[in-house]
Amino acid sequence: MASSRTVCVMDASGHLGSALVHLLLHRGYTVHAALQPHPNGFQSVEELFPCSNKNLKIFDADPFDYHSITAALKGCCGLFYCFEPPSDHSTYDEFMAEIEARAAHNVLEACAQTDTIEKVVFTSSVTAVIWNESRTGSDLDEKNWTDINFCKKFKLWHALSKTLAEKSAWALAMDRGINMVTINGGLLMTPDLTITNPYLKGAAEMYEDGVFVTVDLRFIADAHICVFEDVSSYGRYLCFNHVISCSHDADKLAQMLLPSSDPSPPQSWEKARIFQQRISNKKLNNLMMEFENDQLLSN
């Protein structure tokens, strides 16, 4: 029988995956860190997880190799799934959607076949929520879905991939009775973030629509653990802790993203305007507030 405190993090080689491994170990979990080779990632397991920990077990897991997934999941009560592009196809293009959706399907199918799995936390994106023809409509929340045809029309490949992967995961989870929750994260603010990040396609439009949101690594990692540990969590959760809504914020982000030789921000960001926020993370904030209060009471 599985330990009730053993969980799997897949893929553990990215920023979010490795942060989750460290936080879960700190909280006393035994962690199966499932890794695939990643060209932009870390050079070695030792560099990724420098401190040896008896509760950390490393697994080679390819999301396109069903048996390697089931091996990593064996004995686990939960899975934190964060897709990382495979080494032979690291660019978000028109083909990535099929790759990411297939990976999501494989992983959820493996969860369905693992009788110890009680809950799956699936990392998706705000880009799977915000893109559709009626961009100037009502405020957006977890009930909204990105329009697939809109993504194809404007070549929003990141949004297309995240939307199709999440829809594939939900279809399988509902069909097979898997308890799944998704975290739809904003632009992840990491030290190596550049203007080429695929999330940023359509950034000017996101800004003007009031839906350009970012999230800090610790905040989104805490959100994952919160929705996993809180038995009342359900469905999708929009996760961000900053909104780019004025020219000051936009200029600050542009200076961070652009090389020092190109200090000028995009033209459409230069207007001294404040755009009203049109996206809500109230559902997650309420859950995290309750979770933090419970943590304080239990200490």
Side-chain angles (χ1 to χ4, degrees):
M1 188 65 190
S3 161
S4 61
R5 301 282 286 177
T6 300
V7 294
C8 178
V9 177
M10 181 187 303
D11 185 311
S13 68
H15 287 292
L16 176 56
S18 57
L20 281 169
V21 169
H22 289 293
L23 282 175
L24 289 161
L25 288 170
H26 183 70
R27 292 179 75 81
Y29 287 89
T30 295
V31 180
H32 290 188
L35 307 166
Q36 63 165 324
H38 191 242
N40 302 318
F42 301 82
Q43 297 303 306
S44 65
V45 171
E46 290 74 22
E47 190 178 346
L48 191 57
F49 307 114
C51 302
S52 61
N53 189 310
K54 63 181 174 59
N55 291 330
L56 174 63
K57 297 176 182 177
I58 307 295
F59 289 81
D60 289 324
D62 182 343
F64 309 103
D65 176 0
Y66 181 79
H67 296 293
S68 71
I69 303 168
T70 55
L73 291 176
K74 188 176 182 182
C76 293
C77 69
L79 167 68
F80 295 85
Y81 177 67
C82 332
F83 175 78
E84 291 289 335
S87 57
D88 59 351
H89 197 120
S90 57
T91 306
Y92 271 85
D93 56 20
E94 64 267 40
F95 305 110
M96 183 61 89
E98 183 189 342
I99 293 169
E100 189 162 350
R102 189 155 45 92
H105 184 277
N106 289 347
V107 170
L108 267 292
E109 181 59 44
C111 288
Q113 298 290 343
T114 305
D115 57 8
T116 55
I117 291 288
E118 297 167 12
K119 197 171 196 175
V120 175
V121 181
F122 185 99
T123 309
S124 186
S125 174
V126 165
T127 61
V129 172
I130 61 174
W131 291 112
N132 56 67
E133 292 286 355
S134 56
R135 285 182 19 229
T136 55
S138 57
D139 287 3
L140 302 176
D141 62 17
E142 287 80 5
K143 293 186 293 292
N144 295 96
W145 280 92
T146 282
D147 183 272
I148 288 164
N149 290 325
F150 185 87
C151 292
K152 291 176 179 176
K153 181 178 177 181
F154 293 101
K155 297 181 169 54
L156 297 163
W157 305 130
H158 183 272
L160 180 68
S161 296
K162 296 301 176 186
T163 304
L164 288 176
E166 189 186 343
K167 285 194 169 189
S168 175
W170 275 120
L172 209 151
M174 288 188 279
D175 182 57
R176 305 299 294 275
I178 300 167
N179 179 15
M180 187 177 90
V181 179
T182 66
I183 294 286
N184 293 73
L187 175 66
L188 185 59
M189 302 302 286
T190 57
D192 59 354
L193 183 65
T194 69
I195 198 73
T196 60
N197 188 293
Y199 185 108
L200 289 163
K201 180 74 183 288
E205 289 77 13
M206 285 190 270
Y207 172 52
E208 290 164 10
D209 290 348
V211 296
F212 191 2
V213 292
T214 66
V215 66
D216 296 328
L217 182 58
R218 179 59 191 259
F219 185 86
I220 193 171
D222 283 344
H224 278 70
I225 292 171
C226 168
V227 300
F228 178 73
E229 294 188 352
D230 195 315
V231 294
S232 69
S233 66
Y234 68 96
R236 309 169 86 201
Y237 288 88
L238 281 166
C239 181
F240 56 90
N241 59 348
H242 187 63
V243 184
I244 309 292
S245 59
C246 65
S247 54
H248 171 75
D249 291 339
D251 289 348
K252 190 175 173 185
L253 179 63
Q255 285 165 12
M256 192 181 107
L257 295 173
L258 295 165
S260 54
S261 58
D262 184 13
S264 57
Q267 289 290 313
S268 53
W269 289 4
E270 290 176 359
K271 303 164 189 169
R273 290 181 59 186
I274 295 177
F275 295 97
Q276 185 178 350
Q277 179 179 338
R278 282 188 48 250
I279 186 167
S280 171
N281 57 354
K282 191 182 293 183
K283 183 184 176 189
L284 177 64
N285 287 349
N286 289 343
L287 190 77
M288 289 186 78
M289 202 176 296
E290 292 171 17
F291 180 73
E292 285 164 6
N293 289 339
D294 290 345
Q295 293 293 306
L296 288 171
L297 290 171
S298 63
N299 286 339

